[in-house]
Amino acid sequence: AGCYISTDKGQTWRVSNDGMNGVQIWSLIRSSGSLFAMSDKGSIFVSSDNGTMWRTQSVVQSPINASLLVNNDFYLATNLGVARSVDV
């Protein structure tokens, strides 16, 4: 569970899940210098250090199936529909 990170252009990978508490990550987005990871439990995690440490940013009431960033608007596809945030 969690994310994997590479610092050598994909030659090697290591687990990077500090703060993720055993969830599966289904989508990643980079915005404003931060990484956002969306989980199967509806948690949105953010990392400001390229994925070394993660903290919970927000929680929605449904698994997040996909995410998209368009012109600084953040869209989430969940089992309950599509959500939009303009303050990522």
Side-chain angles (χ1 to χ4, degrees), residues 73-87:
D73 290 353
F74 198 49
Y75 294 88
L76 301 175
T78 73
N79 292 352
L80 300 175
V82 176
R84 176 179 170 232
S85 174
V86 296
D87 61 352

Side-chain angles (χ1 to χ4, degrees), residues 29 38 42 44 58-69 73-86 88:
I29 287 183
M38 281 54 73
I44 301 170
S58 183
V59 178
V60 296
Q61 300 302 312
S62 178
I64 300 168
N65 302 311
S67 58
L68 180 66
L69 182 66
D73 290 353
F74 198 49
Y75 294 88
L76 301 175
T78 73
N79 292 352
L80 300 175
V82 176
R84 176 179 170 232
S85 174
V86 296
V88 174

